[in-house]
């Protein structure tokens, strides 16, 4: 069954809303870990910077299982839409 452009645009909007919620959740987490400076900027703790740099420098396959599960949790937010 062929999808029309309207269906694609509706799907894009639904997935974009999920993506925005995922991103917003992440930003609230990051901002909550940072120290706000008098000028409004944020300073992240060195241990978190080190951990995140290690994580984004690795392929998914090489991540520890607990970190893979964190990524899987995010995919589970999209899965119901994709299955439809």
């Amino acid at each position: 069954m062929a999808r029309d452009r309207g269906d694609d645009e509706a799907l894009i909007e639904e997935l974009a809303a999920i993506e925005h919620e995922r991103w917003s959740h992440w930003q609230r987490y990051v901002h909550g870990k940072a120290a706000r400076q008098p000028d409004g900027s944020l300073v992240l703790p060195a241990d978190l910077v080190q951990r995140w740099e290690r994580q984004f420098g690795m392929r998914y396959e090489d991540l520890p299982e607990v970190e893979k599960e964190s990524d899987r949790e995010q995919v589970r937010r999209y899965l119901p839409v994709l299955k439809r």
Side-chain angles (χ1 to χ4, degrees), residues 31-42:
H31 284 228
K33 296 295 185 182
R36 186 164 302 272
Q37 303 302 294
D39 67 356
S41 64
L42 299 172

Side-chain angles (χ1 to χ4, degrees), residues 45-59:
D47 62 321
L48 289 179
V49 172
Q50 182 181 12
R51 184 176 93 200
W52 294 335
E53 287 178 346
R54 177 189 56 79
Q55 288 172 326
F56 70 63
M58 296 177 78
R59 296 178 319 152

Side-chain angles (χ1 to χ4, degrees), residues 14 35 53 68:
E14 189 172 1
E53 287 178 346
K68 286 181 181 180

